[in-house]
Amino acid sequence: MLSRDEQTTPRPVVLGGHVGSSIDCPDWPIWGQRESDQLARVLDSGWWAFEGPAEAEFEQRFAGLQTAHHGLCVANGTVALQLALEALDIGVGDEVIVPGFTWQATAAAVVDVNAMPVLVDADPETYCPDQGGIEGAITPRTKAIIVVHLYDSLSDMDRILEFAARHHLHVVEDCAHSHGSQWNGRGVGSVGDIGTFSFQSSKTLTAGEGGFVTTNDESLFERLYSLRNCGRRRKGGGTSTTPAVQSGNYRMTEWQSAILLAQLERFEEQMETKQRNAAILDSALGRIPGIKPMRRDRQVTRRNLYAYVFRYVEEEWQGLSCRAFRKAMSEEMGLEFGAPYRPLNMSSLYRPQTKQRHHLSDQYWEALDPSNYALPVAEHAYRHEAVRVLHQNLLTDSQEIMKIPKAVEKLRRFLPDLLNWERTLPKGDRDTPPE
Ligand SMILES: Cc1ncc(COP(=O)(O)O)c(C=O)c1O
């Protein structure tokens, strides 16, 4: 016999119900007259690239947002990582500790400077790099750690900096997901030696493409400047004894800076809205059995979110797979409840052994193989646990955002039916999602 709830609640969409509960939220990116005006200004000025006024203003404002002394626009977030490593003089023979749970660029940048990325697993409560993993990966060749502030979590910078200082390692922060976030009141990207950012179209501050580097160190800044700009010395920067460096063109255009200046006007309000809604979700989802919000460290004094992520515990849903849950939620709400990144040891987009120029030696080649690594926490998160909601879906009000926990509760009420439904899914639905 149907329970009272089942009689009064419409069935979930995947069980034939008609009433979904989509959230009233914007598509991404968001733009308007401000962006048009900024672009027109660049057009009319004829100064379309190479250290124009929009770039200078944006560099100053964005470095300020991240509480960094210096900031430079670069072509994209991948290049930002590569230049950071080159500025730190990392290359052949060096090892760099890199999270295995990230976008492929974080590790690919290390390979592109001829160093060895050493993959470490994720912390099960934040999905950022695991401290024990970092400590276990160190060898006499380790030169640096790249930490990633992943989705809506920040890496534990206190512990990482303490460890790095003890072992004389550089720290690069990959902040592609965390524009505006702060650790103990300091903007991310200004806590380690160098911070890197992406303005690619899915990011929370975007010009379609683009990137940024931040640092507090004067000599690293001069070197980063030269590296992004064909080796040129900065006018009025450095001294005649600052060593020259060979490089290429990694600059950004004035169009992108103009768009970013306009986007910056909307940014703080968007970040506040997302922070508020993330707190609502943490508290409401945290009350539902089998759902666990991510750990929120008290040192995170301001949080931007590239995505809202929560953990689903299959055992507490009588074995209903996370994949089936993601699918049922996506259909219920008409928006994506997706999987996180595929860990780098199983990613189809991290294949360093497919380029001969990486074949520096047989030993290096063999050590590059991503399948050398076991990343059980990241693999479990990807296959069975993590559920990712895009940041723009949090740009809404508290009533709308509450539709998410309500939809989860609804699915839970229909759990036996969902278990039967999962058995009918075609095999493809059980396979790993595409990248
Ligand atoms: C964590 C992380 N690092 C680096 C990048 C690379 O940035 P870009 O796409 O601008 O090259 C991305 C982009 O998705 C990212 O998510």
Side-chain angles (χ1 to χ4, degrees):
M1 210 176 89
L2 286 179
S3 70
R4 215 181 134 75
D5 268 342
E6 283 168 318
Q7 286 167 29
T8 53
T9 311
R11 290 173 72 73
V13 172
V14 293
L15 297 180
H18 294 298
V19 188
S21 48
S22 195
I23 290 183
D24 183 14
C25 63
D27 288 335
W28 191 257
I30 298 170
W31 73 93
Q33 193 57 42
R34 217 180 269 139
E35 280 75 9
S36 301
D37 292 346
Q38 285 282 4
L39 286 176
R41 198 173 318 162
V42 173
L43 182 69
D44 293 339
S45 75
W47 196 344
W48 293 353
F50 210 128
E51 296 168 12
E55 182 174 337
E57 185 184 345
F58 179 72
E59 283 180 344
Q60 197 234 332
R61 288 182 59 190
F62 189 67
L65 180 71
Q66 302 307 138
T67 72
H69 295 169
H70 307 286
L72 286 166
C73 295
V74 296
N76 55 52
T78 303
V79 153
L81 283 160
Q82 183 190 321
L83 299 186
L85 295 169
E86 289 180 348
L88 295 167
D89 208 19
I90 287 167
V92 174
D94 297 331
E95 290 179 2
V96 179
I97 297 173
V98 176
F101 202 20
T102 178
W103 178 240
Q104 51 91 281
T106 320
V110 179
V111 184
D112 281 334
V113 301
N114 297 339
M116 174 60 68
V118 178
L119 306 184
V120 297
D121 205 357
D123 179 307
E125 297 185 326
T126 63
Y127 295 154
C128 289
D130 175 59
Q131 185 69 22
I134 291 174
E135 297 185 10
I138 193 163
T139 76
R141 290 178 297 282
T142 310
K143 271 280 191 66
I145 307 169
I146 305 182
V147 297
V148 176
H149 303 301
L150 198 73
Y151 297 127
D152 52 355
S153 293
L154 297 189
S155 295
D156 186 337
M157 293 308 292
D158 295 349
R159 293 179 71 193
I160 286 164
L161 288 186
E162 190 274 321
F163 178 75
R166 208 158 7 107
H167 295 276
H168 310 290
L169 306 177
H170 299 296
V171 176
V172 175
E173 292 174 81
D174 181 344
C175 310
H177 295 186
S178 51
H179 314 67
S181 294
Q182 294 187 350
W183 179 262
N184 276 330
R186 291 169 70 188
V188 295
S190 75
V191 186
D193 295 296
I194 299 179
T196 66
F197 294 82
S198 163
F199 303 128
Q200 174 268 340
S201 52
S202 68
K203 301 303 186 305
T204 62
L205 189 65
T206 182
E209 297 286 354
F212 205 84
V213 287
T214 48
T215 185
N216 289 334
D217 183 298
E218 187 76 35
S219 63
L220 283 177
F221 170 58
E222 298 299 346
R223 208 169 142 82
L224 284 164
Y225 175 90
S226 297
L227 284 164
R228 100 165 157 175
N229 197 359
C230 306
R232 290 185 178 92
R233 288 206 175 96
R234 194 170 65 89
K235 266 197 211 98
T239 63
S240 53
T241 56
T242 307
V245 56
Q246 141 92 30
S247 196
N249 172 7
Y250 299 103
R251 297 183 301 262
M252 199 170 87
T253 67
E254 194 71 352
W255 309 105
Q256 290 158 287
S257 299
I259 292 279
L260 288 165
L261 279 172
Q263 295 277 302
L264 212 45
E265 297 296 315
R266 311 169 191 281
F267 181 76
E268 299 260 352
E269 193 186 332
Q270 290 170 345
M271 183 163 52
E272 270 172 35
T273 305
K274 287 184 288 180
Q275 263 191 145
R276 211 173 35 242
N277 285 332
I280 292 172
L281 286 179
D282 280 353
S283 133
L285 289 172
R287 286 195 292 268
I288 303 175
I291 301 291
K292 288 200 284 187
M294 305 308 289
R295 188 181 82 218
R296 304 303 184 192
D297 290 330
R298 68 183 159 69
Q299 295 98 324
V300 182
T301 40
R302 195 163 75 171
R303 178 195 317 281
N304 190 13
L305 302 100
Y306 175 52
Y308 180 83
V309 174
F310 61 92
R311 288 166 293 167
Y312 170 88
V313 186
E314 289 179 344
E315 300 73 39
E316 294 182 33
W317 285 70
Q318 294 177 27
L320 181 76
S321 74
C322 185
R323 262 176 245 143
F325 175 80
R326 289 175 191 140
K327 184 177 170 65
M329 279 299 289
S330 299
E331 297 207 11
E332 192 60 29
M333 305 214 58
L335 51 94
E336 189 188 334
F337 284 73
Y341 292 128
R342 202 180 283 191
L344 294 183
N345 60 344
M346 54 188 284
S347 166
S348 60
L349 302 178
Y350 180 59
R351 292 271 179 268
Q353 291 163 304
T354 53
K355 267 189 184 167
Q356 265 311 312
R357 78 179 169 90
H358 297 152
H359 202 146
L360 302 179
S361 69
D362 287 349
Q363 194 192 5
Y364 178 80
W365 186 251
E366 276 159 34
L368 270 184
D369 188 345
S371 68
N372 290 336
Y373 294 91
L375 304 168
V377 173
E379 288 171 41
H380 180 72
Y382 172 69
R383 289 202 169 95
H384 301 291
E385 185 179 75
V387 183
R388 176 186 52 76
V389 183
L390 301 174
H391 63 92
Q392 61 266 35
N393 299 145
L394 271 74
L395 292 175
T396 189
D397 62 34
S398 54
Q399 249 180 322
E400 288 293 304
I401 208 70
M402 277 303 291
K403 288 179 178 173
I404 293 180
K406 284 184 185 152
V408 177
E409 280 165 349
K410 176 174 168 185
L411 293 190
R412 206 166 162 87
R413 282 198 289 275
F414 286 88
L415 188 49
D417 292 350
L418 286 172
L419 286 163
N420 287 332
W421 160 76
E422 188 186 9
R423 278 182 217 116
T424 69
L425 288 180
K427 176 123 183 32
D429 279 332
R430 289 159 184 262
D431 288 337
T432 51
E435 288 183 280

